[in-house]
Amino acid sequence: MNEIFKTHLEKFIKIDEREFGEILKFFRIQSVPAKQNLLEEGKVCRDYYFVLKGILRLFFLNEKGVEQTTEFAIETWWITDNMAYEHGRPSSFSIQAIEKTAFLSISRENQENLLREFPKMEHYFRLIYQRAYAASQMRMKYFLSYSKEEFYFSFVKSYPEFVQRVPQYLIASYLGFTPEYLSEIRKRQIS
Amino acid sequence: MNEIFKTHLEKFIKIDEREFGEILKFFRIQSVPAKQNLLEEGKVCRDYYFVLKGILRLFFLNEKGVEQTTEFAIETWWITDNMAYEHGRPSSFSIQAIEKTAFLSISRENQENLLREFPKMEHYFRLIYQRAYAASQMRMKYFLSYSKEEFYFSFVKSYPEFVQRVPQYLIASYLGFTPEYLSEIRKRQIS
DNA sequence: CGGTCTCTTGACGGAGTTCAAAGCTAGTGG
DNA sequence: CCACTAGCTTTGAACTCCGTCAAGAGACCG
């Protein structure tokens, strides 16, 4: 399972077996069943998660008490409440497994030590954050430029795997509208 | 003017006068009047911008030909089309000065060389991207949890300086609605 | 003081929400 | 392997937030 992480790292940095072993020591490997929470809104956010197998989602409860999903993470994606993680503060989000999920986790202290000891990991994380930020910048663009209907179809086209693996009401939530409206959109397309 | 950059850097890394001089060589310093573009949609995005004095905005033309602003940058903020910058591709956005603006710019090749030569700058940029990503994650949360009216008032509260310095129609655009509706919201509040 | 850019007003329409109920599907235990 | 149940998806009707359009009122600049 750890091989997934090694293969992923090698896309960004050169790394040998011994080094990888040293790096792994900073992480914990865990596995949770579907529906289980890794982090709960209001609790201090200590860890950053890397998905090895499965899907996680990030969400919060809006004022009506409805869960609002804002991010998914599949294999080789990182996920956390970054603001809370960085400042060691209570989280504004919860994180939950959608499928049975295996993942690595690293605490902020461990991450700091890791980056100090392995400058190539500083390089790696700089690239990871840079890409994550670039992706979220584009997401905001799509969000503002498309109608909800166009937004849904562009999402399906870009991430067909999500539509397979994630229930529709979560996709609707992620895209910022109701499951009822998503159902209506889909009906239009089929006919 | 360069002192602004040095003071900013010192919040993240230790740096002496000689080193700062070396680092500065990777940048160009420029100044543009209000309304001038630094980057135009469709043209290759080569530079990353750091605002010393003034305000920049990032925007694109939607299908109706209306400018949609998605980001502002004031003093000590970085701004670019990150996706295009990273891949050296044509930009999906334009960047324009709102006020007369002085800024530093660095090309991607220069940034790569800078980070290779000064590992502490790799550390600096890792932190910058991490924060930018965390902020955009929270922005998405606000975007999805608030009504347009609440979103406007929370924005005014968090960034009063923007409301002072930026015309209302740009703020409306940034928040994802029309200047007419913003006007209506403001009328409600006053009465 | 003229002209252009920005902000306000109001009438109307439509995209998307809400609520309630029925139809499906998949997982679970017997 | 079937039956039951809980959770997910679909339907439809009423409603509302917000966009569109068009016109007027300020404000700022040369």
Side-chain angles (χ1 to χ4, degrees):
Chain A
M1 197 64 109
N2 287 334
E3 277 304 306
I4 293 169
F5 187 41
K6 180 149 187 282
T7 307
H8 166 75
L9 279 179
E10 283 170 340
K11 286 183 187 157
F12 298 89
I13 55 175
K14 285 223 172 76
I15 197 170
D16 63 37
E17 198 58 56
R18 196 192 53 75
E19 250 175 344
F20 180 65
E22 287 301 310
I23 286 168
L24 256 193
K25 288 181 186 162
F26 291 85
F27 292 85
R28 289 207 307 150
I29 183 164
Q30 287 172 271
S31 187
V32 294
K35 302 269 176 187
Q36 185 158 319
N37 282 13
L38 320 195
L39 170 65
E40 300 200 22
E41 205 174 328
K43 301 219 172 134
V44 174
C45 174
R46 306 200 180 282
D47 297 318
Y48 202 22
Y49 305 104
F50 178 87
V51 177
L52 296 167
K53 185 87 193 68
I55 307 190
L56 302 177
R57 72 183 177 108
L58 185 83
F59 68 97
F60 64 94
L61 287 185
N62 66 23
E63 51 257 55
K64 286 164 198 148
V66 178
E67 291 181 0
Q68 173 74 54
T69 296
T70 62
E71 273 175 43
F72 298 115
I74 55 173
E75 290 78 11
T76 77
W77 293 25
W78 288 93
I79 194 166
T80 197
D81 174 345
N82 286 81
M83 193 62 90
Y85 173 76
E86 195 184 325
H87 297 99
R89 284 201 301 240
S91 175
S92 311
F93 299 90
S94 297
I95 297 179
Q96 190 182 63
I98 295 177
E99 306 170 351
K100 176 174 189 306
T101 301
F103 59 93
L104 298 174
S105 64
I106 186 167
S107 70
R108 186 155 150 280
E109 298 74 51
N110 273 351
Q111 193 193 17
E112 279 175 10
N113 294 334
L114 172 65
L115 302 199
R116 206 171 301 125
E117 214 168 298
F118 294 90
K120 63 175 68 172
M121 289 303 284
E122 181 94 59
H123 178 67
Y124 165 76
F125 273 107
R126 195 263 300 170
L127 288 169
I128 287 297
Y129 284 122
Q130 185 171 356
R131 281 171 188 228
Y133 180 52
S136 84
Q137 199 177 39
M138 291 309 291
R139 182 183 174 200
M140 190 53 82
K141 182 183 173 177
Y142 294 140
F143 210 92
L144 290 166
S145 58
Y146 291 153
S147 72
K148 307 236 154 164
E149 177 165 0
E150 291 169 326
F151 197 38
Y152 170 69
F153 287 117
S154 80
F155 176 77
V156 170
K157 206 169 171 184
S158 304
Y159 303 99
E161 53 194 322
F162 281 92
V163 184
Q164 304 280 333
R165 291 169 69 180
V166 175
Q168 283 183 29
Y169 72 98
L170 290 181
I171 289 176
S173 172
Y174 174 76
L175 297 175
F177 50 86
T178 60
E180 291 93 334
Y181 192 61
L182 176 53
S183 182
E184 194 181 321
I185 288 171
R186 284 163 50 86
K187 187 173 54 169
R188 281 183 218 159
Q189 181 66 357
I190 292 154
S191 52
Chain B
M1 199 64 110
N2 286 334
E3 276 305 303
I4 293 169
F5 186 41
K6 180 151 186 281
T7 307
H8 166 75
L9 279 180
E10 283 169 341
K11 287 182 185 154
F12 299 89
I13 55 175
K14 287 224 172 75
I15 195 170
D16 63 36
E17 197 57 57
R18 197 193 51 75
E19 249 176 346
F20 181 65
E22 287 301 310
I23 286 168
L24 257 192
K25 289 181 186 164
F26 291 85
F27 293 85
R28 288 206 308 149
I29 182 164
Q30 288 171 271
S31 186
V32 295
K35 302 270 176 185
Q36 185 160 318
N37 282 13
L38 319 197
L39 169 65
E40 300 200 22
E41 205 174 328
K43 300 217 173 136
V44 173
C45 175
R46 305 202 181 283
D47 297 317
Y48 201 21
Y49 304 104
F50 177 87
V51 177
L52 297 167
K53 186 84 192 67
I55 306 190
L56 301 177
R57 72 182 177 108
L58 186 83
F59 68 96
F60 64 94
L61 286 185
N62 66 22
E63 50 256 52
K64 286 164 198 149
V66 178
E67 291 181 359
Q68 174 74 54
T69 296
T70 61
E71 273 175 44
F72 298 114
I74 56 173
E75 289 78 11
T76 76
W77 292 25
W78 289 93
I79 195 167
T80 198
D81 174 343
N82 286 80
M83 195 62 91
Y85 173 75
E86 195 184 326
H87 297 98
R89 285 201 300 240
S91 175
S92 311
F93 299 89
S94 297
I95 296 179
Q96 190 183 62
I98 295 177
E99 307 169 350
K100 178 176 188 302
T101 301
F103 59 92
L104 297 175
S105 63
I106 187 168
S107 70
R108 188 157 149 277
E109 297 75 51
N110 273 352
Q111 194 194 14
E112 278 174 11
N113 294 333
L114 172 64
L115 301 199
R116 207 172 297 125
E117 215 168 298
F118 294 90
K120 63 174 70 173
M121 289 303 286
E122 181 96 61
H123 178 67
Y124 165 76
F125 274 107
R126 195 263 300 167
L127 288 169
I128 288 296
Y129 285 121
Q130 186 172 353
R131 283 169 186 229
Y133 180 52
S136 84
Q137 200 178 38
M138 291 309 290
R139 182 182 174 200
M140 190 53 84
K141 181 182 174 181
Y142 295 140
F143 210 91
L144 289 166
S145 57
Y146 291 153
S147 72
K148 308 236 153 166
E149 178 166 358
E150 291 169 324
F151 195 39
Y152 171 68
F153 287 117
S154 78
F155 176 77
V156 170
K157 206 170 171 183
S158 304
Y159 303 98
E161 52 194 320
F162 281 93
V163 184
Q164 303 281 333
R165 292 169 69 180
V166 175
Q168 283 183 26
Y169 69 97
L170 290 181
I171 290 176
S173 171
Y174 173 77
L175 297 174
F177 50 87
T178 61
E180 291 94 330
Y181 191 62
L182 176 52
S183 183
E184 194 181 320
I185 287 172
R186 284 164 51 85
K187 187 172 54 170
R188 281 183 219 160
Q189 180 68 355
I190 292 156
S191 55

